[in-house]
Amino acid sequence: MTAAPYDTYRAGLDAGRLTFQRCRACGEAWLPPREDCPHCWSADWGWEEASGKATVVSWVVYHAAFDKRFADRLPYNVAIVELDEGPRMITNIIEIPPDEDVIGRKAILAFERDHDRLLPRYRLDPS
Amino acid sequence: MRGKAVIAGIGHTAFGKQPGRSTVSLNIEACRNAVADAGIEKNAVDGLLVKVPTSKVEMMYGQKLAEAMGMSPRFGGVFDQGGASNISMIAIAAMAIEAGQCEVALVTLADNPRTGSRHAYEKVWGDDADFGWSSVVAGYAMIARRYMHDHGDVSDIHAAIAMACRKHGADNPHAQLRLPLTREMYDASPWVVGPLRRDDCCLVSDGAAAVVVMSADRAKDLGVKAPVPILGFGQGNSSIDVPLREDLTETQAGVSARTAFAMAGLAPKDIDVAQIYDCFTITVAMTLEAYGFAPKGKLAALVKEGGFEVGGALPLNTSGGLLSETGMPGLQLVLEGVRQMRGFSSNQVLDAETCIVSNQGGIMHTHSTLILGRQ
Ligand SMILES: [Zn+2]
């Protein structure tokens, strides 16, 4: 019995490694973890480690805490980034300069310990 | 199928707070009113289609409702597409009637997130909850931010949409929020999840609405007083979740509208009044563009001089929409379309002969379109 894809993904994060799945049949790469290739439906895929380079697709700023765990963190951001390898993920950007539109900015993976686990967050690439 | 089916009756409950009322009871009240409006008897109804209540999803809800209504419908059940379900169920009813599967169908929706549970709208998003990713509004805010990046500042458009809905809601005696919105009030409205403000977001409401669908011929036989012909319908499902959508500002709303326009033999220029699903102002902006009322990023021309208000180029949400009449997910827009085609809206568009209605669900995951005409 092999581990469920999410469990393998999570174990990677817990070890400070961001991984994604790539289809051996068609080459499609994806996150979040799933059991079959969403492009060609093949179940033949493997894990790869992300380079940590990504681009910001969009981001929002919470001024209300729908999740009470975040009540003392307002305002905070949540972002969508696209890894250079293709997969997308939800994350936080560590420090967004005020009044700056960061869509299209390059970002670099930076693990932070939070909520009793290692979270794959991103810093804007200063270059 | 153009014009073969009609909406023969409409009904709704009061909107706002309905403490202690179950969704079953709210559905029954709306159905009672819709059947009375059609002027038919309960035993004429042999189809029952219901949207599952978002606040509390229950197995076999369609059968539970039928039992409470003392019915054993030939054709019936639940369709799960979020807010797009309403128009999709009207379309399914029309097709079922055409295919001889039933003769008279009730399509109904009830929910009670205001006094019941709001969990569905404020929920955390699975494994990403540890990033603080939660709530429906944040998904729309992600889309809105990207839209603004690609097409420039849209605060004028968002404000115009909110102000038109609130103005129309103020004129509707059944509306939950009857306070007109000024531009100053909009600009001072607090952020919920930036770039969306409180006044960009729909109401949270208890209530129900229902419509009676039958063939035009059956409506004639039964002596229905004000049947409204269904000219076209369509749907489209983006399905892919927001973070994974290749282009965050693209949905299947255009596919839905083109299907409906083709069936109706009409084009956007032929539409006199629109009821556009306004869970958030960004949804209206993107839907109008996808429908072909303006090229992408070029809505500003429509906004000028009260273009969305009665008397303007494209009057929309003439009963106040989700932003002002009730936050109920979508069927109230169909009811207002029917009132416009009957000529009895509290914000009647003079000589309106066509009305387009949009419904959508999830975070732009699903979309459905209905085009109504005048008898
Ligand atoms: Zn594949």
Side-chain angles (χ1 to χ4, degrees):
Chain A
M1 184 72 194
T2 52
Y6 177 74
D7 293 340
T8 305
Y9 174 72
R10 180 68 182 257
L13 294 179
D14 290 344
R17 296 168 59 241
L18 176 64
T19 56
F20 61 89
Q21 290 161 288
R22 188 185 295 280
C23 179
R24 291 194 184 102
C26 77
E28 177 86 358
W30 69 84
L31 280 177
R34 52 183 95 229
E35 291 166 84
D36 304 288
C37 171
H39 182 70
C40 77
W41 308 347
S42 169
D44 184 17
W45 46 262
W47 291 99
E48 291 183 16
E49 183 161 355
S51 66
K53 292 179 189 162
T55 305
V56 180
V57 174
S58 192
W59 97 104
V60 298
V61 179
Y62 282 73
H63 295 266
F66 301 100
D67 182 341
K68 299 303 170 220
R69 295 182 297 163
F70 291 82
D72 61 355
R73 300 181 181 210
L74 298 174
Y76 68 89
N77 75 72
V78 174
I80 300 168
V81 297
E82 182 169 304
L83 312 188
D84 280 9
E85 296 87 350
R88 300 256 190 98
M89 62 184 291
I90 288 287
T91 188
N92 306 117
I93 303 295
I94 302 165
E95 289 181 47
I96 291 183
D99 304 319
E100 187 174 334
D101 177 5
V102 297
I103 290 176
R105 286 281 302 271
K106 297 286 179 196
I108 297 166
L109 179 66
F111 275 94
E112 288 193 332
R113 183 159 289 281
D114 199 353
H115 301 291
D116 292 324
R117 55 173 280 213
L118 276 174
L119 279 180
R121 291 187 167 133
Y122 286 80
R123 272 183 209 288
L124 294 173
D125 186 343
S127 59
Chain B
M1 277 218 46
R2 180 192 201 270
K4 280 201 169 179
V6 299
I7 294 181
I10 57 174
H12 63 86
T13 64
F15 302 127
K17 290 182 187 169
Q18 297 265 14
R21 294 281 302 278
S22 70
T23 58
V24 166
S25 171
L26 292 167
N27 267 314
I28 293 175
E29 183 184 342
C31 287
R32 193 164 65 221
N33 293 337
V35 164
D37 181 59
I40 62 169
E41 298 296 325
K42 168 191 161 183
N43 59 19
V45 179
D46 59 356
L48 179 64
L49 289 157
V50 57
K51 178 189 174 299
V52 66
T54 308
S55 302
K56 186 175 169 228
V57 175
E58 296 173 58
M59 291 291 289
M60 299 288 276
Y61 185 82
Q63 313 317 319
K64 187 177 172 179
L65 177 63
E67 182 204 65
M69 295 173 75
M71 289 172 64
S72 298
R74 282 171 73 189
F75 189 85
V78 159
F79 201 63
D80 179 12
Q81 247 182 0
S85 304
N86 309 293
I87 286 175
S88 291
M89 290 191 298
I90 289 169
I92 289 165
M95 292 187 286
I97 290 164
E98 176 72 5
Q101 304 299 300
C102 65
E103 290 194 333
V104 176
L106 271 165
V107 172
T108 184
L109 150 70
D111 209 350
N112 54 4
R114 192 168 173 92
T115 58
S117 169
R118 290 191 198 190
H119 175 75
Y121 302 100
E122 298 184 349
K123 71 183 171 201
V124 300
W125 299 112
D127 308 322
D128 292 321
D130 285 347
F131 297 107
W133 181 231
S134 59
S135 83
V136 169
V137 56
Y140 284 90
M142 278 290 187
I143 294 171
R145 177 85 70 192
R146 183 73 210 202
Y147 184 93
M148 290 162 69
H149 174 83
D150 292 349
H151 303 293
D153 181 36
V154 286
S155 53
D156 286 352
I157 293 162
H158 283 182
I161 290 164
M163 287 160 65
C165 292
R166 294 278 288 275
K167 183 179 184 196
H168 296 153
D171 292 332
N172 173 5
H174 298 292
Q176 183 178 330
L177 178 59
R178 302 192 63 192
L179 178 69
L181 181 74
T182 65
R183 181 58 197 260
E184 292 69 32
M185 287 160 70
Y186 176 84
D187 288 338
S189 177
W191 302 111
V192 180
V193 179
L196 293 180
R197 298 177 182 277
R198 172 79 45 80
D199 287 324
D200 289 311
C201 304
C202 68
L203 304 171
V204 178
S205 316
D206 301 337
V211 302
V212 178
V213 182
M214 63 178 73
S215 70
D217 291 343
R218 188 94 174 104
K220 200 174 286 174
D221 294 344
L222 289 170
V224 172
K225 284 201 194 75
V228 168
I230 295 171
L231 303 184
F233 49 74
Q235 66 170 274
N237 300 284
S238 298
S239 304
I240 311 289
D241 201 12
V242 176
L244 307 184
R245 259 171 233 168
E246 191 169 352
D247 181 344
L248 264 59
T249 69
E250 281 291 321
T251 70
Q252 297 299 303
V255 168
S256 177
R258 286 192 290 278
T259 304
F261 277 127
M263 179 174 164
L266 296 172
K269 64 174 170 47
D270 303 315
I271 297 298
D272 296 324
V273 55
Q275 315 296 334
I276 303 295
Y277 198 93
D278 54 338
C279 50
F280 301 94
T281 48
I282 181 67
T283 316
V284 179
M286 284 175 55
T287 301
L288 290 173
E289 291 176 352
Y291 276 26
F293 288 109
K296 206 165 180 188
K298 301 279 185 253
L299 260 183
L302 258 182
V303 171
K304 289 200 185 103
E305 293 156 28
F308 297 144
E309 296 172 15
V310 174
L314 183 68
L316 61 83
N317 300 6
T318 45
S319 61
L322 280 73
L323 291 168
S324 188
E325 183 181 30
T326 164
M328 163 192 292
L331 196 50
Q332 74 276 36
L333 301 173
V334 175
L335 268 59
E336 175 62 9
V338 168
R339 284 189 289 263
Q340 284 287 351
M341 294 300 91
R342 287 176 172 177
F344 292 104
S345 166
S346 45
N347 285 298
Q348 184 61 40
V349 174
L350 207 63
D351 301 325
E353 293 191 343
T354 54
C355 179
I356 197 163
V357 189
S358 81
N359 274 185
Q360 62 110 63
I363 301 169
M364 305 193 192
H365 287 79
T366 60
H367 196 102
S368 55
T369 309
L370 183 69
I371 301 175
L372 299 172
R374 196 154 207 162
Q375 204 200 11

